[in-house]
Amino acid sequence: MSSKAKVLYKASFNPRIKNYIFWYGILISVVSLVGIPLLPFYLLLAYYFINKYFERLECELTTRSLRFKKGFIFHTEKTIPLDKIQDLTFKEGPLLKAFGLSILRVETAGTSVQGAADLSLIGIVDAAEFRNMVLEQRDVVTDNAGTGNAASDDNESLLVVLTEIRDTLNRIADKQ
């Protein structure tokens, strides 16, 4: 019935993400008093797990959706249909700027919490170009959806129902 979605672009991630995650973990450990005693264990194990995490990062723009995979211990895979994407925003903080990274936040129509993103992509290479590609493909998908035969079929069925309602109301009026 429908053809398989074609991959238009496969995003690559900046290797500086590994250093960012490492230092972010140290910062969180130091800020939280509970993390300070655990810091030596973090320092010993962090690079191994961060490298495995980085190896499993994937993001693909297809003809119909945006797919994202991540995780080493806890695997996450998310597919967001392009016609549901409302906004793509950039976020940069002091630590992100220090590493030359940014976060691309994907917000969809069904987001339940105000200001929450459905997907946050950290450290995509050429994030601005990727953002433009996603928005252009979203526009292609939404433009094609509006010109399909489904809309005309819905209009015809609506017209039939409205005609039946009109005829029924006329019969009721004639009986009174």
Side-chain angles (χ1 to χ4, degrees):
M1 182 174 176
S2 64
S3 61
K4 186 176 180 182
K6 178 182 168 191
V7 175
L8 299 175
Y9 184 76
K10 189 168 184 170
S12 58
F13 291 89
N14 193 329
R16 292 186 220 163
I17 293 174
K18 295 187 273 188
N19 288 330
Y20 167 76
I21 294 171
F22 179 76
W23 286 104
Y24 187 77
I26 289 175
L27 180 67
I28 295 299
S29 296
V30 169
V31 169
S32 69
L33 297 176
V34 176
I36 293 174
L38 300 175
L39 197 54
F41 298 107
Y42 177 78
L43 294 173
L44 288 173
L45 300 173
Y47 267 114
Y48 174 76
F49 287 105
I50 290 170
N51 284 327
K52 291 295 183 184
Y53 174 83
F54 182 76
E55 290 171 4
R56 287 168 174 79
L57 280 175
E58 286 183 34
C59 185
E60 295 176 336
L61 172 63
T62 69
T63 53
R64 291 186 257 155
S65 63
L66 184 63
R67 283 188 272 185
F68 178 67
K69 297 177 187 177
K70 70 175 181 176
F72 173 56
I73 296 174
F74 301 103
H75 184 76
T76 302
E77 185 173 335
K78 199 164 213 178
T79 302
I80 299 175
L82 291 175
D83 59 343
K84 302 293 183 214
I85 294 176
Q86 281 190 328
D87 193 22
L88 291 162
T89 57
F90 285 104
K91 180 181 174 187
E92 285 184 340
L95 191 59
L96 285 166
K97 283 183 183 180
F99 288 99
L101 301 171
S102 64
I103 296 175
L104 184 61
R105 297 177 64 190
V106 180
E107 298 171 13
T108 64
T111 305
S112 60
V113 178
Q114 185 67 17
D118 283 325
L119 182 61
S120 293
L121 304 169
I122 301 173
I124 289 183
V125 176
D126 295 327
E129 180 183 333
F130 183 71
R131 176 184 184 266
N132 291 336
M133 289 172 59
V134 171
L135 291 175
E136 286 174 14
Q137 186 60 28
R138 179 200 62 183
D139 292 342
V140 168
V141 168
T142 55
D143 289 346
N144 288 342
T147 60
N149 291 334
S152 63
D153 291 344
D154 287 344
N155 288 340
E156 289 176 19
S157 63
L158 181 61
L159 184 60
V160 169
V161 169
L162 288 174
T163 304
E164 289 175 5
I165 292 172
R166 182 197 65 203
D167 293 343
T168 303
L169 288 173
N170 286 336
R171 282 191 299 252
I172 293 171
D174 289 343
K175 289 184 179 181
Q176 291 179 356

